[in-house]
Amino acid sequence: VHVSTDEVYGSAPGTQKFREDAHLNPSSPYAASKAASDLLARAYFQTYRFPVMVTRCSNNFGPYQFPEKFIPLLISRALEDQNIPIYGDGLQVRDWIFVQDHCRALDAVLHRGRAGEVYNIGAGHEWPNLEIAGHILDRLRKPHSLLTSVQDRPGHDRRYSLDTTNIETVLGWKPEVSFARGLADTI
């Protein structure tokens, strides 16, 4: 099981959700390296019938995540009443999946997936970064004045969104943890 990212598709326009057969259009060197590794893994299947499956997941969150990641950074800085950096206008949209749901999806792919297939994994919890930040500050009873706008990152896509019909219908996997419950567990 090769674990990749929704970033390989690039930014999703409007309300479009990317299916597994969508054109890869990475915007950053990180996303390009993941797209290249996806293609390499699939080439091994095509050439040698190596039994690889590729997963492309949305943003994970949960307890014990590295503190430089968006949600744990927000929580830890808010708890310490420190300024919280928000890239650009903060309206970049991400789909957030609780880490245990992602692990269950990987297990489903490992045990029931078909070699050579790609499986999108997401929870359908799409939120702009600024709303996530506001929600966390509200839960922690911290002022929104902690939010500080900083220059946007180069290659920062506007929106990631995945169509998860394949993994849901073929493998019977669906996310179980709501965003609110996952965020409460993480905080």
Side-chain angles (χ1 to χ4, degrees):
V1 176
H2 173 71
V3 180
S4 189
T5 175
D6 56 1
E7 291 188 45
V8 300
Y9 298 117
S11 194
T15 59
Q16 177 182 344
K17 293 181 176 289
F18 287 116
R19 293 172 16 132
E20 289 85 350
D21 59 358
H23 176 73
L24 302 184
N25 189 26
S27 300
S28 70
Y30 167 77
S33 71
K34 293 299 278 187
S37 65
D38 290 8
L39 295 174
L40 185 61
R42 296 197 73 209
Y44 265 86
F45 173 75
Q46 292 293 340
T47 303
Y48 304 111
R49 289 298 185 227
F50 187 81
V52 68
M53 294 160 282
V54 174
T55 65
R56 296 180 181 142
C57 192
S58 62
N59 286 45
N60 279 238
F61 75 101
Y64 308 108
Q65 187 176 25
F66 287 117
E68 76 273 0
K69 299 296 184 183
F70 185 66
I71 287 179
L73 178 72
L74 283 168
I75 294 168
S76 62
R77 292 186 71 93
L79 288 171
E80 296 174 4
D81 294 312
Q82 296 178 349
N83 285 338
I84 299 165
I86 299 293
Y87 287 117
D89 62 8
L91 298 179
Q92 301 86 357
V93 174
R94 301 295 180 258
D95 175 15
W96 293 93
I97 186 170
F98 194 66
V99 64
Q100 290 174 338
D101 279 335
H102 185 199
C103 291
R104 283 186 325 90
L106 293 174
D107 187 66
V109 171
L110 177 64
H111 291 100
R112 298 189 307 278
R114 201 172 94 209
E117 287 291 311
V118 177
Y119 297 94
N120 284 342
I121 302 169
H125 303 308
E126 291 188 30
W127 297 87
N129 289 343
L130 200 54
E131 280 190 48
I132 297 264
H135 190 66
I136 289 171
L137 291 172
D138 292 345
R139 287 189 79 103
L140 295 174
R141 295 187 174 99
K142 298 292 182 174
H144 287 228
S145 60
L146 291 176
L147 300 176
T148 304
S149 182
V150 297
Q151 184 174 354
D152 207 355
R153 292 186 291 127
H156 198 190
D157 289 316
R158 197 64 168 166
R159 178 175 166 263
Y160 299 132
S161 187
L162 298 174
D163 179 332
T164 57
T165 303
N166 188 29
I167 194 168
E168 291 176 11
T169 57
V170 175
L171 302 185
W173 173 88
K174 288 187 188 247
E176 295 177 0
V177 180
S178 71
F179 181 76
R181 189 180 114 212
L183 190 57
D185 289 352
T186 302
I187 291 171

